[in-house]
Amino acid sequence: MTGIKAMILAAGRGERMRPLTDHTPKPLLQVGGVPLIEYHIRRLVTAGIVELVINVSHLGEQIVAACGDGSRWGARISWSREARPLETAGGILRALPLLDTPAFLVVNADVWMDFDATALAARARALPPRCARLLFAANPAHHCGGDFALSGERVVPAGPDRPSVTFTGVGAYRRDFFDDAHPASRSGPLRPLFERAIADGRLHGERHDGAWMDVGTPERLAALREQVQAQAEPGGT
């Protein structure tokens, strides 16, 4: 047991995934015969993070039915229901009453990633007040401009002398990181909170050089399925 909770963001509509997401929520789309969200649950539980919060909205009851209380994985799942998707910051803020540890992890359900949850939990426990720590990857072709840059372990704006990197959708947050969130964040993205934290020197980060994919389109999902199938075959790497 780590004393850290984790939230899995699973409330998005997955518009770019249509028509696949017209009847199946994106977190339940399968890779290698396993729903995307299940890979995250397993990874977190293996790291000793068993208290999970999952937010749902679009076709959310399918996700609730598929995951239940989490006991079959050794997890304990609490559900944060949204009448309409509140985006990333809004979803976290709504779920804060359930995230009652000083720090917690947040994982986007629709990414494929082999991050070290044990190490990230340790970094979460060591975060200074009002800080967050994000995992970044090399810019993919569909997001070549990246998001921010890294100067050591500090997240800074990208610039000519600071190559950009892309936020993976996985990070660790102090609960008080959200204390002064603007009311507009109650239904909105995380980026404005990140930009304020960068200006205050409160946003930390590190490079993730392992597997990562934002499974955001049917084409990327198909490519990932092919990759995982090839690795599972005899002689695969």
Side-chain angles (χ1 to χ4, degrees), residues 11-22 25-26 58 110 216:
R13 293 190 60 84
E15 292 288 351
R16 292 175 301 164
M17 271 288 197
R18 297 184 66 189
L20 298 179
T21 51
D22 285 343
K26 188 157 57 167
H58 173 64
D110 58 355

Side-chain angles (χ1 to χ4, degrees), residues 14-232:
E15 292 288 351
R16 292 175 301 164
M17 271 288 197
R18 297 184 66 189
L20 298 179
T21 51
D22 285 343
H23 304 289
T24 303
K26 188 157 57 167
L28 294 187
L29 295 175
Q30 296 192 359
V31 175
V34 177
L36 286 168
I37 196 170
E38 184 172 334
Y39 286 102
H40 295 308
I41 294 172
R42 290 179 181 179
R43 181 172 300 278
L44 292 165
V45 169
T46 298
I49 305 168
V50 299
E51 298 281 352
L52 308 181
V53 176
I54 303 176
N55 70 331
V56 291
S57 184
H58 173 64
L59 302 177
E61 293 309 312
Q62 290 189 35
I63 303 174
V64 174
C67 298
D69 63 2
S71 57
R72 62 188 161 119
W73 298 292
R76 290 187 289 274
I77 296 176
S78 300
W79 296 97
S80 179
R81 290 174 168 83
E82 301 170 13
R84 58 181 179 82
L86 299 176
E87 298 191 62
T88 47
I92 295 169
L93 287 164
R94 181 179 178 87
L96 275 182
L98 301 172
L99 295 163
D100 54 1
T101 49
F104 51 84
L105 308 189
V106 176
V107 179
N108 283 6
D110 58 355
V111 300
W112 172 269
M113 190 174 178
D114 61 353
F115 72 100
D116 186 338
T118 301
L120 189 58
R123 288 169 171 75
R125 287 192 295 270
L127 278 171
R130 301 180 61 237
C131 289
R133 186 179 187 91
L134 310 180
L135 300 186
F136 292 91
N139 298 332
H142 60 85
H143 191 61
C144 58
D147 294 309
F148 303 111
L150 289 170
S151 177
E153 294 190 348
R154 185 177 175 185
V155 181
V156 296
D161 59 341
R162 294 193 296 256
S164 65
V165 286
T166 293
F167 176 42
T168 63
V170 175
Y173 301 80
R174 283 275 304 198
R175 196 173 189 278
D176 56 11
F177 179 81
F178 299 92
D179 279 358
D180 59 352
H182 190 276
S185 300
R186 301 287 164 178
S187 178
L190 278 166
R191 188 176 183 105
L193 277 68
F194 290 162
E195 290 173 343
R196 290 170 60 188
I198 288 171
D200 295 340
R202 295 184 289 109
L203 196 60
H204 308 268
E206 62 186 87
R207 180 76 174 253
H208 171 78
D209 290 317
W212 175 74
M213 180 184 288
D214 172 10
V215 191
T217 65
E219 293 76 18
R220 276 181 248 153
L221 177 64
L224 178 60
R225 285 171 169 169
E226 290 180 7
Q227 173 187 320
V228 170
Q229 180 178 350
Q231 292 172 345

